[in-house]
Amino acid sequence: MEKINRQRAPKGTVTIRKKGNSYEARVTLALNSIMEGVDKNPRLSRTARSEQEARKRLGELITDVYFDIKRNSTIPNVKVFTEECSSELNKFAEFNEEKEKSSQTSLRTVFYQMVYPEGFEPPICKFVACHSIQLNYGYI
């Protein structure tokens, strides 16, 4: 029996294959920092009825992994993926879109945690505004 020598795609390269009536998008990542309980080269995959939807779901999953590692890392500004993996993932439009959406959500969270300047009141719902006294907020 002849052994088949398959060339593996570089880490971070997204591949699509048809499985029956659905499509599977998959990728093997290469992580820089290893966290407890996380594989150094996790293989992720998502299936859907269309190739576009499978790619979108995989982009969401990679983004979740990316931000989980960023959040749980003790090193500030940690590079999550290796250089090779990052360069391949930058070609994956769905990952970049999801990453951008998630980072904008993070910015909104930071904005809402800011202290309000003197003379301005934090936004409140209409019910509270109509049924309570107005307070003057200063610097904290």
Side-chain angles (χ1 to χ4, degrees):
M1 185 158 80
E2 189 176 330
K3 190 173 184 180
I4 299 172
N5 187 8
R6 291 188 182 174
Q7 190 73 6
R8 289 188 175 243
K11 303 283 191 237
T13 302
V14 175
T15 57
I16 307 293
R17 68 180 184 168
K18 188 160 175 59
K19 290 180 75 177
N21 293 335
S22 62
Y23 290 87
E24 179 186 38
R26 61 186 185 172
V27 64
T28 301
L29 302 175
L31 305 178
N32 269 332
S33 59
I34 303 172
M35 294 173 37
E36 193 174 314
V38 176
D39 186 17
K40 182 177 178 170
N41 296 317
R43 184 174 181 187
L44 309 175
S45 67
R46 285 293 179 257
T47 57
R49 291 215 180 265
S50 70
E51 182 178 341
Q52 179 93 8
E53 186 63 27
R55 292 176 65 88
K56 184 178 184 305
R57 287 181 182 177
L58 183 63
E60 291 169 354
L61 181 60
I62 297 170
T63 304
D64 289 345
V65 169
Y66 175 81
F67 281 108
D68 280 348
I69 292 173
K70 282 277 211 190
R71 250 189 316 272
N72 296 324
S73 176
T74 56
I75 305 166
N77 300 322
V78 67
K79 287 192 173 202
V80 176
F81 305 119
T82 61
E83 288 297 322
E84 176 191 25
C85 186
S86 291
S87 66
E88 290 297 324
L89 285 174
N90 286 336
K91 299 173 189 174
F92 185 42
E94 289 80 1
F95 168 65
N96 292 321
E97 290 168 9
E98 288 299 321
K99 191 172 154 185
E100 183 65 30
K101 277 191 233 172
S102 294
S103 65
Q104 288 174 357
T105 303
S106 298
L107 288 175
R108 273 192 229 113
T109 304
V110 169
F111 173 74
Y112 288 125
Q113 293 173 350
M114 290 172 36
V115 177
Y116 293 92
E118 188 173 359
F120 289 97
E121 302 228 359
I124 53 175
C125 67
K126 185 176 178 180
F127 176 80
V128 173
C130 295
H131 295 80
S132 69
I133 61 170
Q134 295 287 313
L135 301 174
N136 185 11
Y137 294 89
Y139 290 106
I140 296 177

